[in-house]
mmCIF file of all heavy atoms in Angstrom:
data_model
loop_
_atom_site.group_PDB
_atom_site.id
_atom_site.type_symbol
_atom_site.label_atom_id
_atom_site.label_comp_id
_atom_site.label_asym_id
_atom_site.label_seq_id
_atom_site.Cartn_x
_atom_site.Cartn_y
_atom_site.Cartn_z
ATOM 1 N N VAL D 530 0.839 -1.217 0.033
ATOM 2 C CA VAL D 530 0.002 -0.002 -0.023
ATOM 3 C C VAL D 530 0.897 1.287 0.030
ATOM 4 O O VAL D 530 1.792 1.391 0.803
ATOM 5 C CB VAL D 530 -0.933 0.007 1.193
ATOM 6 C CG1 VAL D 530 -1.901 1.180 1.158
ATOM 7 C CG2 VAL D 530 -1.656 -1.302 1.333
ATOM 8 N N ASN D 531 0.634 2.188 -0.918
ATOM 9 C CA ASN D 531 1.301 3.460 -0.954
ATOM 10 C C ASN D 531 0.249 4.541 -0.791
ATOM 11 O O ASN D 531 -0.693 4.632 -1.565
ATOM 12 C CB ASN D 531 1.968 3.616 -2.318
ATOM 13 C CG ASN D 531 2.723 4.986 -2.451
ATOM 14 O OD1 ASN D 531 3.355 5.403 -1.514
ATOM 15 N ND2 ASN D 531 2.553 5.619 -3.588
ATOM 16 N N VAL D 532 0.451 5.399 0.219
ATOM 17 C CA VAL D 532 -0.525 6.459 0.482
ATOM 18 C C VAL D 532 0.106 7.826 0.328
ATOM 19 O O VAL D 532 1.254 8.008 0.819
ATOM 20 C CB VAL D 532 -1.061 6.277 2.007
ATOM 21 C CG1 VAL D 532 -1.981 7.456 2.359
ATOM 22 C CG2 VAL D 532 -1.816 4.998 2.136
ATOM 23 N N GLN D 533 -0.527 8.710 -0.336
ATOM 24 C CA GLN D 533 -0.040 10.079 -0.496
ATOM 25 C C GLN D 533 -1.180 11.028 -0.001
ATOM 26 O O GLN D 533 -2.363 10.820 -0.290
ATOM 27 C CB GLN D 533 0.291 10.377 -1.934
ATOM 28 C CG GLN D 533 1.550 9.633 -2.423
ATOM 29 C CD GLN D 533 1.858 10.033 -3.827
ATOM 30 O OE1 GLN D 533 1.113 9.794 -4.797
ATOM 31 N NE2 GLN D 533 2.981 10.677 -4.082
ATOM 32 N N ILE D 534 -0.820 12.080 0.693
ATOM 33 C CA ILE D 534 -1.737 13.033 1.266
ATOM 34 C C ILE D 534 -1.560 14.430 0.522
ATOM 35 O O ILE D 534 -0.447 14.879 0.400
ATOM 36 C CB ILE D 534 -1.564 13.166 2.792
ATOM 37 C CG1 ILE D 534 -1.740 11.763 3.410
ATOM 38 C CG2 ILE D 534 -2.597 14.186 3.359
ATOM 39 C CD1 ILE D 534 -1.442 11.812 4.925
ATOM 40 N N GLY D 535 -2.633 14.989 0.169
ATOM 41 C CA GLY D 535 -2.541 16.296 -0.570
ATOM 42 C C GLY D 535 -3.714 17.175 -0.174
ATOM 43 O O GLY D 535 -4.319 17.061 0.867
ATOM 44 N N ARG D 536 -3.951 18.100 -1.096
ATOM 45 C CA ARG D 536 -4.964 19.076 -0.834
ATOM 46 C C ARG D 536 -5.871 19.245 -2.143
ATOM 47 O O ARG D 536 -5.354 19.203 -3.225
ATOM 48 C CB ARG D 536 -4.298 20.449 -0.451
ATOM 49 C CG ARG D 536 -3.484 20.397 0.750
ATOM 50 C CD ARG D 536 -2.683 21.655 0.880
ATOM 51 N NE ARG D 536 -1.994 21.863 2.196
ATOM 52 C CZ ARG D 536 -0.791 21.477 2.458
ATOM 53 N NH1 ARG D 536 -0.028 20.958 1.571
ATOM 54 N NH2 ARG D 536 -0.283 21.614 3.679
ATOM 55 N N TYR D 537 -7.110 19.438 -1.841
ATOM 56 C CA TYR D 537 -8.075 19.635 -2.950
ATOM 57 C C TYR D 537 -8.331 21.097 -3.006
ATOM 58 O O TYR D 537 -9.008 21.663 -2.086
ATOM 59 C CB TYR D 537 -9.341 18.869 -2.596
ATOM 60 C CG TYR D 537 -10.335 18.671 -3.761
ATOM 61 C CD1 TYR D 537 -9.903 18.151 -4.945
ATOM 62 C CD2 TYR D 537 -11.695 18.980 -3.586
ATOM 63 C CE1 TYR D 537 -10.786 17.958 -5.997
ATOM 64 C CE2 TYR D 537 -12.592 18.794 -4.635
ATOM 65 C CZ TYR D 537 -12.108 18.347 -5.868
ATOM 66 O OH TYR D 537 -13.008 18.111 -6.891
ATOM 67 N N VAL D 538 -7.801 21.783 -4.024
ATOM 68 C CA VAL D 538 -7.815 23.256 -4.074
ATOM 69 C C VAL D 538 -8.607 23.729 -5.206
ATOM 70 O O VAL D 538 -8.840 23.113 -6.157
ATOM 71 C CB VAL D 538 -6.365 23.804 -4.154
ATOM 72 C CG1 VAL D 538 -5.625 23.341 -2.952
ATOM 73 C CG2 VAL D 538 -5.642 23.310 -5.434
ATOM 74 N N TYR D 539 -9.031 24.996 -5.028
ATOM 75 C CA TYR D 539 -9.828 25.682 -6.075
ATOM 76 C C TYR D 539 -8.893 26.561 -6.942
ATOM 77 O O TYR D 539 -8.148 27.355 -6.389
ATOM 78 C CB TYR D 539 -10.970 26.551 -5.473
ATOM 79 C CG TYR D 539 -11.796 27.246 -6.517
ATOM 80 C CD1 TYR D 539 -12.709 26.488 -7.337
ATOM 81 C CD2 TYR D 539 -11.674 28.590 -6.744
ATOM 82 C CE1 TYR D 539 -13.463 27.099 -8.220
ATOM 83 C CE2 TYR D 539 -12.427 29.227 -7.709
ATOM 84 C CZ TYR D 539 -13.378 28.468 -8.481
ATOM 85 O OH TYR D 539 -14.082 29.101 -9.425
ATOM 86 N N LEU D 540 -8.975 26.389 -8.199
ATOM 87 C CA LEU D 540 -8.164 27.167 -9.153
ATOM 88 C C LEU D 540 -9.017 28.235 -9.706
ATOM 89 O O LEU D 540 -9.980 28.001 -10.469
ATOM 90 C CB LEU D 540 -7.590 26.275 -10.260
ATOM 91 C CG LEU D 540 -6.772 25.068 -9.818
ATOM 92 C CD1 LEU D 540 -6.275 24.242 -11.023
ATOM 93 C CD2 LEU D 540 -5.597 25.501 -8.929
ATOM 94 N N SER D 541 -8.706 29.511 -9.391
ATOM 95 C CA SER D 541 -9.592 30.575 -9.755
ATOM 96 C C SER D 541 -9.583 30.862 -11.274
ATOM 97 O O SER D 541 -10.479 31.319 -11.874
ATOM 98 C CB SER D 541 -9.139 31.863 -9.001
ATOM 99 O OG SER D 541 -7.831 32.235 -9.234
ATOM 100 N N GLY D 542 -8.390 30.620 -11.955
ATOM 101 C CA GLY D 542 -8.258 30.825 -13.360
ATOM 102 C C GLY D 542 -9.219 29.951 -14.134
ATOM 103 O O GLY D 542 -10.187 30.488 -14.778
ATOM 104 N N PRO D 543 -9.090 28.618 -14.160
ATOM 105 C CA PRO D 543 -10.035 27.774 -14.872
ATOM 106 C C PRO D 543 -11.344 27.539 -14.173
ATOM 107 O O PRO D 543 -12.221 26.916 -14.644
ATOM 108 C CB PRO D 543 -9.282 26.441 -14.996
ATOM 109 C CG PRO D 543 -8.285 26.436 -13.859
ATOM 110 C CD PRO D 543 -7.953 27.870 -13.663
ATOM 111 N N GLN D 544 -11.470 28.064 -12.903
ATOM 112 C CA GLN D 544 -12.647 28.001 -12.055
ATOM 113 C C GLN D 544 -13.050 26.490 -11.840
ATOM 114 O O GLN D 544 -14.157 26.096 -12.172
ATOM 115 C CB GLN D 544 -13.840 28.746 -12.697
ATOM 116 C CG GLN D 544 -13.538 30.257 -12.792
ATOM 117 C CD GLN D 544 -14.714 31.042 -13.280
ATOM 118 O OE1 GLN D 544 -15.545 30.512 -13.966
ATOM 119 N NE2 GLN D 544 -14.737 32.331 -12.986
ATOM 120 N N ARG D 545 -12.099 25.746 -11.311
ATOM 121 C CA ARG D 545 -12.384 24.362 -11.076
ATOM 122 C C ARG D 545 -11.570 23.911 -9.864
ATOM 123 O O ARG D 545 -10.580 24.603 -9.490
ATOM 124 C CB ARG D 545 -12.102 23.485 -12.184
ATOM 125 C CG ARG D 545 -10.648 23.514 -12.668
ATOM 126 C CD ARG D 545 -10.428 22.657 -13.916
ATOM 127 N NE ARG D 545 -9.069 22.777 -14.438
ATOM 128 C CZ ARG D 545 -8.024 22.117 -13.964
ATOM 129 N NH1 ARG D 545 -8.143 21.317 -12.945
ATOM 130 N NH2 ARG D 545 -6.807 22.263 -14.493
ATOM 131 N N PHE D 546 -11.945 22.793 -9.251
ATOM 132 C CA PHE D 546 -11.207 22.187 -8.201
ATOM 133 C C PHE D 546 -10.188 21.191 -8.742
ATOM 134 O O PHE D 546 -10.417 20.585 -9.786
ATOM 135 C CB PHE D 546 -12.146 21.456 -7.159
ATOM 136 C CG PHE D 546 -12.987 22.402 -6.357
ATOM 137 C CD1 PHE D 546 -14.314 22.611 -6.727
ATOM 138 C CD2 PHE D 546 -12.394 22.987 -5.243
ATOM 139 C CE1 PHE D 546 -15.068 23.483 -5.921
ATOM 140 C CE2 PHE D 546 -13.152 23.829 -4.435
ATOM 141 C CZ PHE D 546 -14.532 24.054 -4.779
ATOM 142 N N GLU D 547 -9.077 21.034 -8.006
ATOM 143 C CA GLU D 547 -8.056 20.069 -8.518
ATOM 144 C C GLU D 547 -7.328 19.549 -7.273
ATOM 145 O O GLU D 547 -6.996 20.241 -6.360
ATOM 146 C CB GLU D 547 -7.011 20.825 -9.408
ATOM 147 C CG GLU D 547 -5.891 20.010 -9.897
ATOM 148 C CD GLU D 547 -4.944 20.736 -10.737
ATOM 149 O OE1 GLU D 547 -5.238 20.970 -11.954
ATOM 150 O OE2 GLU D 547 -3.892 21.280 -10.267
ATOM 151 N N GLY D 548 -7.062 18.264 -7.404
ATOM 152 C CA GLY D 548 -6.269 17.640 -6.342
ATOM 153 C C GLY D 548 -4.780 17.880 -6.566
ATOM 154 O O GLY D 548 -4.337 17.633 -7.713
ATOM 155 N N GLN D 549 -4.002 18.215 -5.599
ATOM 156 C CA GLN D 549 -2.615 18.470 -5.703
ATOM 157 C C GLN D 549 -1.870 17.821 -4.543
ATOM 158 O O GLN D 549 -2.372 17.819 -3.379
ATOM 159 C CB GLN D 549 -2.298 20.001 -5.663
ATOM 160 C CG GLN D 549 -2.936 20.725 -6.849
ATOM 161 C CD GLN D 549 -2.625 22.157 -6.818
ATOM 162 O OE1 GLN D 549 -1.995 22.728 -5.892
ATOM 163 N NE2 GLN D 549 -3.057 22.930 -7.881
ATOM 164 N N ILE D 550 -0.732 17.163 -4.824
ATOM 165 C CA ILE D 550 0.110 16.558 -3.801
ATOM 166 C C ILE D 550 1.483 17.232 -3.838
ATOM 167 O O ILE D 550 2.200 17.098 -4.848
ATOM 168 C CB ILE D 550 0.199 15.052 -4.025
ATOM 169 C CG1 ILE D 550 -1.174 14.389 -3.910
ATOM 170 C CG2 ILE D 550 1.144 14.397 -3.074
ATOM 171 C CD1 ILE D 550 -1.202 12.920 -4.265
ATOM 172 N N PRO D 551 1.955 17.926 -2.817
ATOM 173 C CA PRO D 551 1.221 18.144 -1.551
ATOM 174 C C PRO D 551 0.222 19.287 -1.595
ATOM 175 O O PRO D 551 -0.628 19.397 -0.724
ATOM 176 C CB PRO D 551 2.344 18.411 -0.513
ATOM 177 C CG PRO D 551 3.340 19.149 -1.368
ATOM 178 C CD PRO D 551 3.365 18.411 -2.669
ATOM 179 N N GLY D 552 0.328 20.162 -2.584
ATOM 180 C CA GLY D 552 -0.569 21.268 -2.677
ATOM 181 C C GLY D 552 -0.058 22.501 -1.846
ATOM 182 O O GLY D 552 0.931 22.346 -1.105
ATOM 183 N N PRO D 553 -0.702 23.610 -1.964
ATOM 184 C CA PRO D 553 -0.217 24.855 -1.266
ATOM 185 C C PRO D 553 -0.379 24.753 0.226
ATOM 186 O O PRO D 553 -1.419 24.290 0.716
ATOM 187 C CB PRO D 553 -1.084 25.962 -1.825
ATOM 188 C CG PRO D 553 -2.320 25.270 -2.325
ATOM 189 C CD PRO D 553 -1.861 23.963 -2.835
ATOM 190 N N SER D 554 0.604 25.245 1.007
ATOM 191 C CA SER D 554 0.557 25.081 2.409
ATOM 192 C C SER D 554 -0.462 25.968 3.062
ATOM 193 O O SER D 554 -0.801 25.815 4.232
ATOM 194 C CB SER D 554 1.974 25.495 2.971
ATOM 195 O OG SER D 554 2.293 26.796 2.631
ATOM 196 N N THR D 555 -1.053 26.947 2.292
ATOM 197 C CA THR D 555 -2.096 27.774 2.880
ATOM 198 C C THR D 555 -3.399 27.076 2.941
ATOM 199 O O THR D 555 -4.373 27.569 3.543
ATOM 200 C CB THR D 555 -2.244 29.038 1.945
ATOM 201 O OG1 THR D 555 -2.457 28.634 0.574
ATOM 202 C CG2 THR D 555 -1.023 29.887 2.002
ATOM 203 N N GLU D 556 -3.540 25.877 2.337
ATOM 204 C CA GLU D 556 -4.748 25.107 2.366
ATOM 205 C C GLU D 556 -4.681 24.042 3.366
ATOM 206 O O GLU D 556 -3.621 23.512 3.714
ATOM 207 C CB GLU D 556 -5.024 24.501 0.939
ATOM 208 C CG GLU D 556 -5.178 25.495 -0.149
ATOM 209 C CD GLU D 556 -6.525 26.179 -0.210
ATOM 210 O OE1 GLU D 556 -7.480 25.640 0.422
ATOM 211 O OE2 GLU D 556 -6.699 27.344 -0.766
ATOM 212 N N ASN D 557 -5.823 23.547 3.833
ATOM 213 C CA ASN D 557 -5.834 22.392 4.733
ATOM 214 C C ASN D 557 -5.642 21.122 3.985
ATOM 215 O O ASN D 557 -5.966 21.062 2.790
ATOM 216 C CB ASN D 557 -7.263 22.292 5.425
ATOM 217 C CG ASN D 557 -7.415 23.293 6.561
ATOM 218 O OD1 ASN D 557 -6.468 23.859 7.022
ATOM 219 N ND2 ASN D 557 -8.577 23.388 7.049
ATOM 220 N N TRP D 558 -5.050 20.137 4.688
ATOM 221 C CA TRP D 558 -4.956 18.808 4.109
ATOM 222 C C TRP D 558 -6.342 18.241 3.928
ATOM 223 O O TRP D 558 -7.168 18.319 4.861
ATOM 224 C CB TRP D 558 -4.101 17.862 4.983
ATOM 225 C CG TRP D 558 -2.740 18.244 5.295
ATOM 226 C CD1 TRP D 558 -2.192 18.782 6.379
ATOM 227 C CD2 TRP D 558 -1.648 18.175 4.310
ATOM 228 N NE1 TRP D 558 -0.803 19.056 6.226
ATOM 229 C CE2 TRP D 558 -0.450 18.651 4.991
ATOM 230 C CE3 TRP D 558 -1.521 17.739 3.012
ATOM 231 C CZ2 TRP D 558 0.748 18.694 4.338
ATOM 232 C CZ3 TRP D 558 -0.307 17.810 2.361
ATOM 233 C CH2 TRP D 558 0.844 18.237 3.031
ATOM 234 N N SER D 559 -6.679 17.779 2.703
ATOM 235 C CA SER D 559 -8.053 17.431 2.432
ATOM 236 C C SER D 559 -8.179 16.301 1.437
ATOM 237 O O SER D 559 -9.304 15.982 0.966
ATOM 238 C CB SER D 559 -8.864 18.675 1.936
ATOM 239 O OG SER D 559 -8.211 19.214 0.767
ATOM 240 N N MET D 560 -7.091 15.652 1.018
ATOM 241 C CA MET D 560 -7.151 14.650 -0.026
ATOM 242 C C MET D 560 -6.159 13.471 0.339
ATOM 243 O O MET D 560 -5.083 13.728 0.799
ATOM 244 C CB MET D 560 -6.737 15.224 -1.368
ATOM 245 C CG MET D 560 -6.822 14.288 -2.526
ATOM 246 S SD MET D 560 -6.370 15.044 -4.093
ATOM 247 C CE MET D 560 -4.559 15.107 -3.885
ATOM 248 N N VAL D 561 -6.605 12.277 0.079
ATOM 249 C CA VAL D 561 -5.768 11.091 0.238
ATOM 250 C C VAL D 561 -5.826 10.300 -1.057
ATOM 251 O O VAL D 561 -6.938 9.948 -1.491
ATOM 252 C CB VAL D 561 -6.225 10.268 1.441
ATOM 253 C CG1 VAL D 561 -5.431 8.967 1.492
ATOM 254 C CG2 VAL D 561 -5.935 11.023 2.745
ATOM 255 N N THR D 562 -4.686 9.864 -1.584
ATOM 256 C CA THR D 562 -4.647 8.961 -2.712
ATOM 257 C C THR D 562 -3.952 7.659 -2.217
ATOM 258 O O THR D 562 -2.900 7.730 -1.597
ATOM 259 C CB THR D 562 -3.795 9.528 -3.879
ATOM 260 O OG1 THR D 562 -4.490 10.695 -4.449
ATOM 261 C CG2 THR D 562 -3.639 8.541 -4.982
ATOM 262 N N SER D 563 -4.620 6.559 -2.412
ATOM 263 C CA SER D 563 -4.082 5.242 -1.996
ATOM 264 C C SER D 563 -3.869 4.357 -3.180
ATOM 265 O O SER D 563 -4.800 4.352 -4.097
ATOM 266 C CB SER D 563 -5.040 4.664 -0.944
ATOM 267 O OG SER D 563 -4.573 3.409 -0.520
ATOM 268 N N GLN D 564 -2.788 3.694 -3.211
ATOM 269 C CA GLN D 564 -2.513 2.730 -4.359
ATOM 270 C C GLN D 564 -1.996 1.417 -3.807
ATOM 271 O O GLN D 564 -1.175 1.353 -2.891
ATOM 272 C CB GLN D 564 -1.404 3.292 -5.291
ATOM 273 C CG GLN D 564 -1.134 2.536 -6.512
ATOM 274 C CD GLN D 564 -0.105 3.177 -7.397
ATOM 275 O OE1 GLN D 564 1.084 3.068 -7.110
ATOM 276 N NE2 GLN D 564 -0.487 3.800 -8.463
ATOM 277 N N ILE D 565 -2.577 0.328 -4.378
ATOM 278 C CA ILE D 565 -2.179 -1.032 -3.937
ATOM 279 C C ILE D 565 -1.604 -1.743 -5.130
ATOM 280 O O ILE D 565 -2.236 -1.762 -6.224
ATOM 281 C CB ILE D 565 -3.380 -1.835 -3.358
ATOM 282 C CG1 ILE D 565 -3.929 -1.147 -2.103
ATOM 283 C CG2 ILE D 565 -2.949 -3.234 -2.970
ATOM 284 C CD1 ILE D 565 -5.110 -1.862 -1.504
ATOM 285 N N THR D 566 -0.436 -2.329 -4.986
ATOM 286 C CA THR D 566 0.261 -3.086 -6.062
ATOM 287 C C THR D 566 0.394 -4.513 -5.588
ATOM 288 O O THR D 566 0.811 -4.841 -4.478
ATOM 289 C CB THR D 566 1.680 -2.516 -6.323
ATOM 290 O OG1 THR D 566 1.503 -1.061 -6.620
ATOM 291 C CG2 THR D 566 2.293 -3.223 -7.470
ATOM 292 N N ALA D 567 -0.051 -5.442 -6.440
ATOM 293 C CA ALA D 567 -0.069 -6.857 -6.144
ATOM 294 C C ALA D 567 0.526 -7.649 -7.270
ATOM 295 O O ALA D 567 0.216 -7.467 -8.410
ATOM 296 C CB ALA D 567 -1.460 -7.386 -5.836
ATOM 297 N N ASP D 568 1.421 -8.668 -6.952
ATOM 298 C CA ASP D 568 1.983 -9.619 -7.941
ATOM 299 C C ASP D 568 0.987 -10.797 -7.942
ATOM 300 O O ASP D 568 0.847 -11.512 -7.027
ATOM 301 C CB ASP D 568 3.360 -10.059 -7.514
ATOM 302 C CG ASP D 568 3.934 -11.096 -8.504
ATOM 303 O OD1 ASP D 568 3.274 -11.369 -9.467
ATOM 304 O OD2 ASP D 568 5.111 -11.556 -8.220
ATOM 305 N N VAL D 569 0.353 -10.958 -9.090
ATOM 306 C CA VAL D 569 -0.701 -11.959 -9.192
ATOM 307 C C VAL D 569 -0.183 -13.180 -10.050
ATOM 308 O O VAL D 569 -1.073 -14.081 -10.390
ATOM 309 C CB VAL D 569 -1.966 -11.391 -9.834
ATOM 310 C CG1 VAL D 569 -2.567 -10.332 -8.946
ATOM 311 C CG2 VAL D 569 -1.725 -10.848 -11.204
#
């Protein structure tokens, strides 16, 4: 399991939300990306 923590921020230019890792420090931590890799 690989976990990364980031921030879900609003971009005023394109007027949309975007997940960023780690994202700007002025924002609260608000996003988690988890990845599982398995040899099958």
Side-chain angles (χ1 to χ4, degrees):
V530 186
N531 179 43
V532 176
Q533 292 181 295
I534 303 174
R536 297 168 170 98
Y537 195 52
V538 299
Y539 181 73
L540 305 178
S541 57
Q544 297 184 338
R545 61 181 174 83
F546 289 100
E547 176 181 280
Q549 297 180 355
I550 298 175
S554 60
T555 54
E556 299 283 340
N557 280 349
W558 298 107
S559 57
M560 181 181 76
V561 172
T562 294
S563 183
Q564 185 179 77
I565 299 177
T566 303
D568 180 1
V569 297

